[in-house]
Amino acid sequence: MKSLVENKWVCSSEMVDVINPVSGEVLEKVPNLSSSDITKNLRFAKKNLGKWQDKALAQRCEIIEVFSLLVHKNKDELAKMYSLDAGIPLKKTKEEILKIETKSKYLAEEIKHEKMTMVSEDLVLDVKMPLGTILCLFEPYFKAEDFLENVVLALLRGNAVLICPSSLSPIVLTRLVELLIEAGVPAGIVSVMHTSDDNLLYSKALEEVSHVIVCGMVKGLEVLKKFQKESSSFEYNFSKDVLVVCHDADLALASDYAIDMLKQFDAFKICLVSEKVKDKFEMLVKEKMRNIRVCIPWMIEADVGAFVTPDYLEWASCSWQGEILQGGRKKNCYLQPTLLKVDDYSKDIWGPVLPILKYLDFAEVENALSDNSSSLNVAIFSENTENINRLAKNADAFVVSINP
């Protein structure tokens, strides 16, 4: 597998093995680009950006619509790649690839109708100006939304996007870049660079880019500390999923939602449960956890796959600070689905784990969700419209779902 430097696919003197987390098989070898190659690539993108921005919005939209068709044509291959690459269950990777396919087309249509500034009857100016050259650093467990917002939408708005995938799971992102180029995005305007964080820093990359985005949560904070000193325009994208179970909740539905949440690797999470129903809710979750299938990720029946490396499993388990109520066994890259009792909302816990924190009064929930550094996705199960409205109004959340 090659990297894209300027407009050419190249190897390097140092190649890095991409290893399947379950079998130990070498799936691919990717280059570890030198700092000079990275600088060359970034300068090439900056030099040629004007040609991309000069294209009419309608032309850029047509290219992304073709990309959507290519993703559809290759969806099975892409889903299998991502599952083999990152240890994510095939049913999950199929969902993620479907999102990229359908929402790419949606974004290409939606951007045509974004709010415009009317100067006269004959002149309309787009109020959303491109940033320029964007550097996207992806962690192994990236979401479709990360790719859509930071690559597809950025390209539609006239930016150049240079993607640095994790060396642990670079295959599907590289293939997506190939499809973008096949669809008509000029090589160099979109690019994929396989390299280390240190090589990026030594390349003086941040002098050449307009904006840096880290998509991921596990090592994202480490990368953030390295790059934030060098860049005034920096963004760290991660989310926290919060489930609120009130005393009047439909516990059967709430526990189903909790099980779906437990299976996710790619977000921090917490479940806030009223003390009045905590014991019954925990009992339902424990019963349903017994039906979760942990097996080889690329088997369609897998509910939970494997961590991308044993180190990532250790990073996940190090985030636990609480009492294990069920599960918790580790073997190789696998972790048994785990129910965890915690006493601190602020801890960032991830992996196939459901941390449960009881609350006595709904005001505790409001206080916890009112001031957050992460982007919250909140789901609340309750019949109390007053509490629902208070939470929807006061929570510092990107999305609040009611009895989903």
Side-chain angles (χ1 to χ4, degrees):
M1 184 164 278
K2 299 180 179 182
S3 284
L4 195 57
V5 176
E6 298 185 321
N7 61 349
K8 298 176 183 177
W9 291 97
V10 300
C11 293
S12 69
S13 57
E14 181 185 354
M15 301 293 285
V16 178
D17 291 342
V18 181
I19 298 173
N20 180 284
V22 175
S23 67
E25 172 193 1
V26 176
L27 299 172
E28 283 282 1
K29 291 179 180 288
V30 297
N32 183 14
L33 292 183
S34 67
S35 58
S36 61
D37 281 335
I38 297 162
T39 302
K40 190 187 302 182
N41 211 22
L42 292 164
R43 288 176 178 166
F44 180 83
K46 194 173 181 179
K47 179 181 176 182
N48 290 277
L49 180 58
K51 297 176 184 177
W52 178 244
Q53 292 178 341
D54 287 343
K55 280 187 179 291
L57 176 61
Q59 289 179 289
R60 298 199 295 266
C61 290
E62 286 176 9
I63 288 171
I64 295 302
E65 286 168 357
V66 173
F67 168 71
S68 174
L69 293 173
L70 290 171
V71 172
H72 175 76
K73 181 180 177 182
N74 295 275
K75 62 184 180 181
D76 291 336
E77 172 203 6
L78 290 165
K80 183 73 176 288
M81 275 182 179
Y82 194 13
S83 182
L84 288 167
D85 208 11
I88 298 172
L90 185 59
K91 63 174 72 174
K92 172 67 173 174
T93 60
K94 282 178 176 285
E95 292 173 4
E96 294 297 292
I97 297 303
L98 179 61
K99 285 179 188 176
I100 292 174
E101 173 200 336
T102 56
K103 291 190 178 181
S104 292
K105 188 175 180 179
Y106 170 79
L107 288 173
E109 184 60 33
E110 184 187 50
I111 199 171
K112 299 174 188 175
H113 307 289
E114 281 189 337
K115 184 179 179 182
M116 302 288 181
T117 299
M118 181 69 72
V119 178
S120 70
E121 290 186 3
D122 301 319
L123 180 61
V124 177
L125 298 179
D126 188 345
V127 298
K128 292 190 179 292
M129 301 297 291
L131 293 169
T133 305
I134 298 174
L135 179 63
C136 288
L137 312 177
F138 280 88
E139 278 285 286
Y141 306 114
F142 72 91
K143 293 183 177 182
E145 285 82 0
D146 294 331
F147 185 83
L148 289 161
E149 292 175 13
N150 301 311
V151 179
V152 173
L153 190 55
L155 288 169
L156 283 167
R157 289 196 170 128
N159 298 286
V161 183
L162 298 105
I163 298 171
C164 288
S166 165
S167 60
L168 298 174
S169 58
I171 297 175
V172 71
L173 280 168
T174 303
R175 182 68 179 123
L176 287 168
V177 169
E178 291 173 353
L179 294 180
L180 281 166
I181 292 169
E182 185 180 340
V185 180
I189 296 303
V190 66
S191 183
V192 60
M193 304 184 297
H194 306 100
T195 189
S196 66
D197 295 343
D198 287 340
N199 280 354
L200 276 174
L201 288 169
Y202 295 145
S203 70
K204 299 182 179 178
L206 300 181
E207 296 176 6
E208 306 293 336
V209 299
S210 308
H211 194 60
V212 179
I213 302 172
V214 175
C215 300
M217 56 185 181
V218 183
K219 294 183 69 180
L221 287 172
E222 295 178 22
V223 178
L224 176 66
K225 291 173 185 176
K226 289 182 182 180
F227 281 82
Q228 206 168 25
K229 295 177 183 177
E230 308 293 332
S231 174
S232 58
S233 182
F234 195 99
E235 186 177 337
Y236 176 34
N237 286 350
F238 70 102
S239 62
K240 188 167 188 173
D241 293 339
V242 181
L243 171 59
V244 180
V245 182
C246 298
H247 71 277
D248 58 348
D250 183 325
L251 295 184
L253 290 178
S255 58
D256 284 342
Y257 189 94
I259 291 296
D260 288 338
M261 188 170 155
L262 184 153
K263 296 174 187 176
Q264 305 304 317
F265 273 73
D266 51 11
F268 299 127
K269 61 188 85 169
I270 189 75
C271 178
L272 305 174
V273 185
S274 168
E275 184 187 38
K276 295 177 181 178
V277 295
K278 178 178 174 290
D279 291 343
K280 186 174 182 181
F281 177 75
E282 284 180 2
M283 182 185 69
L284 287 170
V285 171
K286 287 178 181 178
E287 289 175 359
K288 293 175 181 181
M289 282 175 64
R290 297 188 183 100
N291 297 321
I292 296 177
R293 290 158 295 187
V294 182
C295 57
I296 296 173
W298 51 92
M299 296 175 65
I300 197 62
E301 59 267 28
D303 293 316
V304 172
F307 284 83
V308 71
T309 68
D311 284 344
Y312 269 70
L313 191 156
E314 289 305 315
W315 283 324
S317 56
C318 284
S319 71
W320 304 352
Q321 289 187 13
E323 176 189 350
I324 296 176
L325 302 176
Q326 185 163 302
R329 287 195 313 242
K330 307 174 195 174
K331 185 175 182 181
N332 300 326
C333 290
Y334 288 100
L335 174 66
Q336 185 184 22
T338 303
L339 189 63
L340 192 66
K341 176 185 175 182
V342 297
D343 55 13
D344 186 351
Y345 169 81
S346 65
K347 299 301 180 185
D348 293 326
I349 297 173
W350 65 282
V353 180
L354 184 69
I356 291 183
L357 174 63
K358 72 176 180 181
Y359 69 86
L360 301 177
D361 184 87
F362 195 75
E364 295 176 44
V365 176
E366 290 183 283
N367 291 336
L369 303 188
S370 62
D371 184 19
N372 285 277
S373 58
S374 56
S375 175
L376 295 183
N377 299 305
V378 179
I380 178 170
F381 284 83
S382 177
E383 298 300 324
N384 187 318
T385 54
E386 181 183 350
N387 284 347
I388 290 170
N389 290 334
R390 282 166 54 191
L391 188 65
K393 180 180 178 180
N394 298 321
D396 184 15
F398 181 67
V399 175
V400 176
S401 303
I402 302 164
N403 298 319

